[in-house]
Amino acid sequence: MSIAKKIAVLPGDGIGPEVTAQAVQVLQAIGERFGHTFTYTYADVGAIAIERHGDPLPEATLDTCLNADAILFGAIGHPRFDNDPSAPVRPEQGLLRLRKSLGLFANIRPVTLYPSLLHLSPLREEKVRGVDFVIYRELTGGIYFGDKGQTPNGAYDHCVYTGPEIDRIARLAFEHARRRRGKVTLVDKANVLETSRLWRKIVTALAAEVYPDVTLDWMYVDNAAMQIIQYPVSFDVMLTENMFGDILSDEASVLAGSLGMLPSASVGEKTALFEPIHGSYPQAAGQDIANPIAAILSAAMLLEHLGLTAEANAVRDAVQATLEAGIATADLQTSQASRCSEVGRAICGLILAPVEAER
Ligand code: IPM
Ligand code: MG
């Protein structure tokens, strides 16, 4: 059955536009092969939006997102703002406001490793072989969104969570665990933080009442930081609050050998958003050298979210076949590095002529 979907494309800053362009090409190739029609509306976000409109999330961008079936997001951030604590507006505010405005309370980051890239992991191959977990990071609460401010001789950021905020993301994590290996690890700091004790209470009760078939275990965040390195195969679904998830998901991403490989989905109340987990990598911007695979795999998550599972798998198969053929950007240390656009083209080619590429 052919479908038509509206995609909001927010390329953002740095390498965002070039990797997003490849993800759009991939969606086009999927549309062609499966007979779907995707239409794209482009909108500004981040530093580029500050430059053009004086606002990291212009009203028009939010409207575009609200009117779309899904959002493809590139990256935001610009060095101009990084070392300026007094900057009145920052690109990151655009992303945070977007998350809040769309109610995107769950950030889902799968940590999957490609067999042909195991040697690139900073961990020994035997430690990372078989690693396959997914992080559910709460995205619209906690210290990111609590009351913050300055006092005469200091500053504060409050960490606040409500029961319903915890409950709704925990349900998504448990549901996903059911479709995977049936285990949820709640990561918190319940030995110190009151909010963490609330997480434990809510999640434990939910597990007992609704998901008795899923195994729940708990881990303090400092220990989790260690276990991700020590014993990464032990995780299935990791569930955690906003800031812990921010830190641990960056840590987990290096297991895959390159930050340029991992996609993410942010879902919640309104239009879902899909973005590579890497940042704007300003040093590489405009050079056609960035790895487009994280953006392309984000497009695969977008397809899956729209219920297009075969299409999502076609993207993943093409990515795998491209890697196995040794076509990769410089971050993957191939003997001959390809350009961002060449990798995108190769993946599109395999989507359109899949015969020998299928697993
Ligand atoms: C992320 C990023 C953002 C965050 C920044 C850019 C605000 O690090 O998506 O993980 O901290 O959530
Ligand atoms: Mg982060």
Side-chain angles (χ1 to χ4, degrees):
M1 199 183 62
S2 73
I3 57 148
K5 293 287 177 189
K6 289 186 287 185
I7 316 285
V9 184
L10 276 53
D13 305 322
I15 58 168
E18 44 206 286
V19 295
T20 307
Q22 298 312 314
V24 168
Q25 289 307 315
V26 162
L27 288 176
Q28 282 304 91
I30 288 292
E32 198 171 313
R33 174 166 153 198
F34 291 87
H36 305 314
T37 310
F38 300 113
T39 48
Y40 311 94
T41 309
Y42 286 78
D44 292 328
V45 71
I48 185 82
I50 297 178
E51 208 170 280
R52 290 184 183 158
H53 319 278
D55 182 348
L57 180 65
E59 207 48 48
T61 298
L62 186 56
D63 283 347
T64 300
C65 291
L66 286 167
N67 288 316
D69 296 303
I71 305 160
L72 196 58
F73 191 98
I76 53 159
H78 193 282
R80 184 164 77 243
F81 300 90
D82 286 348
N83 293 318
D84 178 9
S86 66
V89 285
R90 319 184 65 83
E92 289 78 7
Q93 289 163 348
L95 183 55
L96 296 178
R97 253 165 53 205
L98 190 59
R99 288 172 180 168
K100 200 67 173 178
S101 312
L102 298 174
L104 301 176
F105 61 81
N107 181 230
I108 305 162
R109 294 184 170 186
V111 183
T112 15
L113 276 59
Y114 286 85
S116 62
L117 300 180
L118 289 185
H119 64 285
L120 295 178
S121 175
L123 297 190
R124 289 196 303 279
E125 274 195 55
E126 65 264 27
K127 284 243 179 205
V128 286
R129 191 169 297 120
V131 166
D132 175 13
F133 64 97
V134 55
I135 301 178
Y136 273 74
R137 167 191 175 194
E138 203 290 327
L139 205 56
T140 50
I143 197 166
Y144 272 60
F145 291 96
D147 194 21
K148 53 185 84 240
Q150 294 175 10
T151 60
N153 61 353
Y156 60 91
D157 298 275
H158 286 167
C159 182
V160 183
Y161 269 108
T162 65
E165 279 177 320
I166 297 167
D167 180 86
R168 62 185 180 178
I169 184 173
R171 283 176 193 267
L172 295 185
F174 280 111
E175 295 289 340
H176 200 166
R178 268 189 179 157
R179 301 192 300 274
R180 294 175 47 96
R181 301 194 302 277
K183 180 175 157 188
V184 170
T185 303
L186 172 64
V187 174
D188 61 30
K189 189 74 185 172
N191 49 347
V192 179
L193 301 178
E194 202 59 57
T195 43
S196 285
R197 288 192 276 271
L198 181 66
W199 274 80
R200 278 210 185 193
K201 192 174 123 202
I202 304 265
V203 173
T204 307
L206 185 66
E209 280 160 31
V210 187
Y211 302 98
D213 51 314
V214 176
T215 307
L216 171 67
D217 65 4
W218 307 265
M219 204 177 269
Y220 294 143
V221 61
D222 47 350
N223 183 23
M226 188 174 78
Q227 296 300 329
I228 285 173
I229 303 298
Q230 191 83 309
Y231 197 39
V233 286
S234 69
F235 295 107
D236 182 15
V237 175
M238 181 186 284
L239 168 64
T240 191
E241 62 100 69
N242 201 343
M243 173 115 108
F244 296 159
D246 178 44
I247 298 168
L248 294 181
S249 60
D250 266 29
E251 185 194 359
S253 72
V254 301
L255 299 175
S258 168
L259 208 52
M261 293 294 299
L262 296 184
S264 81
S266 300
V267 305
E269 293 159 10
K270 296 178 183 150
T271 324
L273 178 149
F274 301 84
E275 63 172 315
I277 76 146
H278 60 68
S280 59
Y281 191 17
Q283 304 84 338
Q287 296 178 47
D288 200 20
I289 57 169
N291 189 345
I293 290 180
I296 288 169
L297 292 173
S298 300
M301 291 186 87
L302 180 155
L303 291 166
E304 184 110 51
H305 180 79
L306 295 176
L308 304 174
T309 306
E311 290 80 345
N313 286 335
V315 174
R316 294 180 185 125
D317 286 343
V319 167
Q320 175 145 357
T322 303
L323 290 170
E324 276 162 14
I327 302 168
T329 42
D331 54 306
L332 299 181
Q333 298 169 24
T334 43
S335 48
Q336 214 192 353
S338 300
R339 306 210 144 257
C340 173
S341 53
E342 288 167 343
V343 172
R345 219 169 8 251
I347 292 169
C348 289
L350 286 166
I351 288 170
L352 291 167
V355 194
E356 64 277 78
E358 228 79 295
R359 266 185 286 207

